[in-house]
Amino acid sequence: MDFSRIYKKLPKRIRRSDYLTYHAVNISSFFHKLFKSKNDEKDPFLNFLFKSTNLKADGNFRKVQLLALELLKFIDNVCKKYDLTYFLIYGSLLGAIRHGGFIPWDDDLDIMMMRKDYNKLIEVLPYEINKNDYLKENIGLTLLDNINDNYFDDTNHILDESYVNHFLANDSEKSRFLQLGFLKPLAKLDIFPFDYIKNDSVDIYNKKYRSQKFLFRNDYFEEGFSYFVEINERSKKIGLTMEETDFIGEGLDATYWDDFGAIDVNLFFPINSIEFEGVTVMSPNQPLELLKFWYGENYMDIPSNLDIHNFNDFNKKFYDSDDEISQAFLEAIATLKDINENFD
């Protein structure tokens, strides 16, 4: 059920109704989960293949991963400089546990930050990019202030027309969280905001998160939309706060569809570390318990339905041959590696 398409055809008065949206989104969510469960069965052959061997990506696909890894190292450097905390999460955390790094068919990286550190990163990251001419020319930084405009007016934008036309079916699929990317050849890192949940608001958060998230995403199309004003107003409605509490949840501006509910703060803090492709990065306190929470007891199994971004295919639009793409990757990886090793 494509509720988004139906929703856009409704009168504005109805679209702005929290009550209607809450019930409609719940119905849509039921069908979404039903469809997902039918298409997420485990494949015994893939399980054997990936769990009994040490398969890794190769060729230019592997180079996409290695360039994304340098982006992660850059963020790690920035966070350490400004005393900010991030966590490896979702498929990237699963890859670290199950494969020692990237999931073999995955070609981007996912990290999360608590809202206070996330906001600070938004403030300092443009400076850290623009102070280096190479980064300023080749790195894109995107946070949608509205459906058409990047919040950052002094950095390159990842979601240009070629990217949108290749990866997205429509504007509603544009991501509302912070994205850092190397532009050409393309490699990308996603940074998701998480919030503390007031202890007396956990039930409200679990009940209304999805509908408020839907309204927030669709408000991008409204005239006069302001990212920070809207996120603050809607976050208050479901009890989100920057003050430390006993529970953590995804921000309204995080992933496109997921809704995992409130999470015990002890699964994240105190901060831990984990090896990812031979690099020590920040990790939640209890990564195995979090993976069970997100993906179920069988999180180590390989699903039959593999989700691939295929940035490698996108990069072919801009080069005449695979050899030319390969050379571009090698140069970008080497340059970023040098910048990371000499970061100040």
Side-chain angles (χ1 to χ4, degrees), residues 296-311:
E297 292 289 335
N298 297 323
Y299 65 89
M300 290 292 285
D301 288 343
I302 308 299
S304 59
N305 185 22
L306 305 183
D307 185 19
I308 302 174
H309 300 102
N310 206 353
F311 292 142

Side-chain angles (χ1 to χ4, degrees), residues 47-82:
N47 260 331
F48 170 78
L49 189 64
F50 284 103
K51 294 171 71 174
S52 302
T53 59
N54 188 29
L55 292 177
K56 293 284 187 181
D58 198 3
N60 287 335
F61 192 97
R62 177 59 173 167
K63 294 182 179 70
V64 175
Q65 295 179 342
L66 294 178
L67 185 53
L69 180 63
E70 292 303 323
L71 294 176
L72 175 61
K73 289 160 66 175
F74 177 71
I75 289 294
D76 181 78
N77 281 329
V78 173
C79 286
K80 287 176 179 176
K81 177 177 179 177
Y82 292 94

Side-chain angles (χ1 to χ4, degrees), residues 210-223:
R210 188 181 288 277
S211 59
Q212 288 298 319
K213 183 177 190 174
F214 181 88
L215 286 169
F216 173 78
R217 292 187 62 86
N218 281 276
D219 279 350
Y220 271 82
F221 295 91
E222 300 294 333
E223 185 176 352

Side-chain angles (χ1 to χ4, degrees), residues 71-296:
L71 294 176
L72 175 61
K73 289 160 66 175
F74 177 71
I75 289 294
D76 181 78
N77 281 329
V78 173
C79 286
K80 287 176 179 176
K81 177 177 179 177
Y82 292 94
D83 195 26
L84 306 177
T85 295
Y86 70 87
F87 302 97
L88 204 67
I89 58 164
Y90 297 147
S92 297
L93 183 62
L94 177 59
I97 296 295
R98 195 170 64 193
H99 305 280
F102 283 97
I103 294 174
W105 56 89
D106 196 10
D107 52 2
D108 74 350
L109 279 163
D110 300 327
I111 66 173
M112 61 154 279
M113 300 180 74
M114 297 308 299
R115 179 73 59 178
K116 188 176 292 186
D117 284 356
Y118 181 80
N119 287 349
K120 180 64 176 180
L121 185 68
I122 290 172
E123 177 186 330
V124 302
L125 200 48
Y127 166 75
E128 293 297 335
I129 292 172
N130 290 333
K131 74 179 186 181
N132 181 292
D133 289 340
Y134 181 83
L135 295 181
K136 185 176 182 179
E137 180 179 352
N138 291 285
I139 294 293
L141 187 61
T142 292
L143 180 67
L144 293 181
D145 197 37
N146 55 59
I147 199 62
N148 296 312
D149 299 323
N150 189 5
Y151 172 77
F152 306 102
D153 58 10
D154 56 350
T155 66
N156 291 309
H157 191 13
I158 297 173
L159 301 181
D160 64 10
E161 184 176 356
S162 61
Y163 180 98
V164 172
N165 290 340
H166 184 87
F167 289 105
L168 308 180
N170 52 63
D171 276 340
S172 65
E173 293 186 6
K174 288 182 179 179
S175 301
R176 274 65 172 174
F177 47 80
L178 185 62
Q179 298 176 82
L180 176 74
F182 197 94
L183 298 176
K184 182 182 174 183
L186 178 67
K188 190 166 71 71
L189 180 146
D190 294 333
I191 307 171
F192 301 112
F194 275 54
D195 293 288
Y196 288 103
I197 307 167
K198 294 179 180 179
N199 291 336
D200 59 359
S201 298
V202 171
D203 290 342
I204 296 174
Y205 175 87
N206 288 337
K207 182 179 180 181
K208 295 187 175 182
Y209 170 83
R210 188 181 288 277
S211 59
Q212 288 298 319
K213 183 177 190 174
F214 181 88
L215 286 169
F216 173 78
R217 292 187 62 86
N218 281 276
D219 279 350
Y220 271 82
F221 295 91
E222 300 294 333
E223 185 176 352
F225 177 86
S226 172
Y227 169 84
F228 284 103
V229 171
E230 192 69 23
I231 193 66
N232 290 335
E233 290 180 356
R234 292 210 173 273
S235 293
K236 290 177 182 177
K237 288 187 176 184
I238 55 175
L240 300 182
T241 178
M242 290 193 192
E243 302 301 321
E244 295 182 11
T245 67
D246 296 333
F247 295 94
I248 288 173
E250 270 198 344
L252 294 172
D253 45 346
T255 55
Y256 178 65
W257 186 259
D258 290 332
D259 174 18
F260 295 106
I263 307 172
D264 189 324
V265 69
N266 294 304
L267 297 187
F268 286 102
F269 292 99
I271 187 172
N272 207 334
S273 63
I274 196 168
E275 290 293 308
F276 187 90
E277 299 288 347
V279 179
T280 302
V281 296
M282 300 183 192
S283 159
N285 179 41
Q286 299 184 46
L288 301 187
E289 292 303 314
L290 265 177
L291 290 174
K292 290 178 185 177
F293 181 83
W294 285 326
Y295 303 117

